[in-house]
Amino acid sequence: MTLYLKQFYESPMGLLSIVVSEEGLVELDFYDPKEEAPDPYGALEQVHPYHEKVKEWLDHYFAGDPITISFPLAPQGTAFQERVWQLLREIPYGETKTYGQLAQDLSCGSAQAVGQAVGRNPLTILVPCHRVMGKDGQLMGYASGLDRKRWLLHHEGITWKEK
């Protein structure tokens, strides 16, 4: 049975939940204690060395000085989702791609299928789904809300078109 451990990080955009296992970072997501959604991992609030590495990465990111990821990633998804998430990691800081471009890169005929996988990304910010735009660079959905997506894009110096 896998043991999951959780810690929190106060970001400029709100509280982030960091869930790790021995395999690596499992989830990085915005956390609202008022929502009180059940924890699918049953994570215990204990410190693991990966938490400190994730927090260090976040400190650098929010300071505008992104660093290389120095900890393993262990998101849980389908093979297709994991392919999409890997492709998201290849979008450089300060740049974007469209859902259509990602679908083409994956030799997938459906930008919608790519969009669904992007929307299920469990590693927000770190696996930069906020860098994915609609056709012609239009701002499209973000699981954590469009205001957060705008903030992240602005933070990285990215311009966009409003829908």
Side-chain angles (χ1 to χ4, degrees), residues 84-153:
V84 171
W85 302 336
Q86 177 57 43
L87 197 56
L88 293 177
R89 290 186 55 212
E90 296 170 14
I91 304 173
Y93 181 94
E95 296 181 24
T96 63
K97 281 202 166 191
T98 66
Y99 293 99
Q101 288 171 318
L102 292 174
Q104 186 175 12
D105 291 348
L106 289 165
S107 299
C108 170
S110 173
Q112 184 178 14
V114 169
Q116 289 174 347
V118 168
R120 288 184 173 86
N121 170 25
L123 302 177
T124 193
I125 305 170
L126 202 140
V127 174
C129 53
H130 61 277
R131 297 181 191 150
V132 182
M133 308 299 268
K135 190 176 179 180
D136 300 324
Q138 289 182 335
L139 190 68
M140 298 293 286
Y142 185 60
S144 297
L146 285 178
D147 286 344
R148 286 186 173 133
K149 183 170 184 166
R150 286 183 187 98
W151 193 99
L152 291 164
L153 294 172

Side-chain angles (χ1 to χ4, degrees), residues 35-54:
E35 291 180 9
E36 296 184 43
D39 179 354
Y41 304 102
L44 303 173
E45 286 192 42
Q46 292 181 8
V47 178
H48 187 282
Y50 292 152
H51 287 121
E52 295 311 311
K53 291 179 180 276
V54 173

